[in-house]
Amino acid sequence: MSTITESVNVTVPIRVAYDQWARFEEFPRFMAGVEEIRQVDDTTLHWTVRVAGVTRRFEARITERLPDERVAWTSTEGPAHAGVVTFHRLDDDTTRVTAQMEFAPDGFVEKAGDRAGALHRRVKADLRRFKTFVEARGGRTGGARGGAGRPGS
């Protein structure tokens, strides 16, 4: 398993940053390679991604959702991966968004890309695009707040 940790400071209140991140269907607007995310129910996300010319579909389960604090997930099928995104209030109008992910590269191309740092660069670039996206929208997110704690508990 490989681990990636990247952060970005966004100039929006913590609630705005969290609410925008919780709008999973909008990930293709700032995440490279993400073609579609469909939220099946409160805890299940169906992803379609394109990496190195290969389209993959998989499901992930939201394992924890604490509004304005964190969202965690794990894959339930397809490539093995898990992660958490945390939100830290720096001041009234600035939030640090930190993404930590673990994944198991599959196949020669993914393993070579992992060794070359391609996924680290992609996550860093995705967070920069998230910053641009959420700051341009300001306070207009309309994101799902989600229930506190672990889904299904």
Side-chain angles (χ1 to χ4, degrees):
M1 284 285 232
S2 292
T3 302
I4 299 171
T5 302
E6 293 290 343
S7 295
V8 67
N9 293 346
V10 296
T11 310
V12 297
I14 196 167
R15 181 178 181 133
V16 173
Y18 174 88
D19 284 354
Q20 184 59 63
W21 192 272
R23 297 188 75 190
F24 305 110
E25 293 86 356
E26 291 197 4
F27 280 15
R29 297 179 73 181
F30 58 86
M31 283 189 173
V34 176
E35 293 185 347
E36 178 186 39
I37 296 180
R38 192 170 29 85
Q39 188 160 357
V40 179
D41 56 37
D42 286 345
T43 62
T44 307
L45 302 172
H46 181 81
W47 290 65
T48 302
V49 298
R50 188 164 181 84
V51 179
V54 177
T55 299
R56 291 190 176 200
R57 290 174 178 77
F58 60 90
E59 287 195 356
R61 181 174 50 87
I62 299 169
T63 57
E64 188 173 28
R65 187 184 294 190
L66 298 170
D68 302 340
E69 291 182 35
R70 64 193 291 123
V71 176
W73 72 92
T74 188
S75 60
T76 57
E77 63 177 44
H81 68 277
V84 61
V85 175
T86 56
F87 303 84
H88 307 273
R89 180 187 177 279
L90 300 180
D91 62 36
D92 287 347
D93 297 315
T94 309
T95 304
R96 177 165 295 143
V97 179
T98 301
Q100 182 176 353
M101 293 174 263
E102 290 187 345
F103 68 98
D106 185 32
F108 176 78
V109 172
E110 286 183 17
K111 289 177 183 175
D114 181 36
R115 283 191 297 277
L119 231 37
H120 283 81
R121 287 189 300 277
R122 176 172 276 188
V123 171
K124 189 173 194 155
D126 287 345
L127 285 176
R128 282 194 312 262
R129 283 188 294 274
F130 175 74
K131 174 182 174 60
T132 300
F133 183 72
V134 72
E135 288 176 355
R137 295 185 66 138
R140 299 170 290 125
T141 64
R145 298 296 296 158
R150 288 170 173 51
S153 60

